[in-house]
Amino acid sequence: MKSGPLPTAPFEDFSEPRADSGLLVSFVLTLAFFVSILVLVLPGGNVGRDLRGFLGREFGWGSYLAPVILGAFTTSAVRGRLDPTYRMPWSQAAGWLLEFWSIVTLFQPLAAGNPDPSTGGGFLGRTTWDFLASAFGGSAATVVALLAATIAFGLLLGVSSQEAVARGS
């Protein structure tokens, strides 16, 4: 019987992500996105009913926009996995969140006098609107919310106010 070193199995390097792992992560995130859309949109089921109720109380009519925001962040996550050089700029992420917040706030005056918390902007819109209206008045609160929506749109597009004025003239 010979003695000597035992044969070793080839070593697989796990320090670098494999190409198919990015595809798997993309598939799982996309599947989670579509399942959440189906849970929010399709009637029936306890999970869907409870989730729709929660989103309705928190965001009111903005609960229909919440999947769009989720989709934007999911798309960025999937793109980041497929293209390692891509990273969502902070301004774009802030733009999506500020746009959602300002739209939900602008929904609130449309449901003025309705005691149902799932109308208008829900808890978020009502709280923000009440603060702005008590601080500046109703008309100025609308202007502030519209200004925030315009700034958010500029952040999403990556356009500064100077560039917008220069392109407009």
Side-chain angles (χ1 to χ4, degrees):
M1 210 161 139
K2 286 182 167 179
S3 69
L6 296 173
T8 59
F11 177 71
E12 188 173 345
D13 185 15
F14 290 104
S15 61
E16 293 292 323
R18 296 183 351 213
D20 58 338
S21 68
L23 184 62
L24 179 65
V25 168
S26 301
F27 175 74
V28 168
L29 282 173
T30 304
L31 183 66
F33 172 68
F34 283 118
V35 166
S36 67
I37 294 294
L38 291 176
V39 164
L40 291 174
V41 174
L42 294 179
N46 289 335
V47 174
R49 184 189 67 226
D50 293 342
L51 188 56
R52 280 192 304 277
F54 169 76
L55 290 174
R57 282 188 309 276
E58 296 304 313
F59 307 124
W61 297 330
S63 65
Y64 297 104
L65 296 175
V68 175
I69 305 301
L70 176 65
F73 284 105
T74 301
T75 303
S76 293
V78 169
R79 183 176 173 196
R81 291 297 297 169
L82 296 175
D83 180 11
T85 61
Y86 175 77
R87 192 167 173 187
M88 179 187 249
W90 69 267
S91 59
Q92 192 175 21
W96 278 111
L97 295 174
L98 182 60
E99 191 72 47
F100 179 71
W101 195 349
S102 56
I103 288 173
V104 167
T105 302
L106 287 169
F107 282 156
Q108 193 57 42
L110 299 175
N114 192 340
D116 185 10
S118 64
T119 59
F123 177 75
L124 179 66
R126 185 171 306 219
T127 303
T128 307
W129 180 259
D130 288 346
F131 171 75
L132 290 175
S134 66
F136 305 114
S139 300
T142 304
V143 171
V144 169
L146 284 172
L147 181 63
T150 305
I151 290 170
F153 195 65
L155 287 171
L156 282 174
L157 298 178
V159 177
S160 69
S161 58
Q162 292 174 341
E163 291 173 338
V165 169
R167 290 181 188 177
S169 55

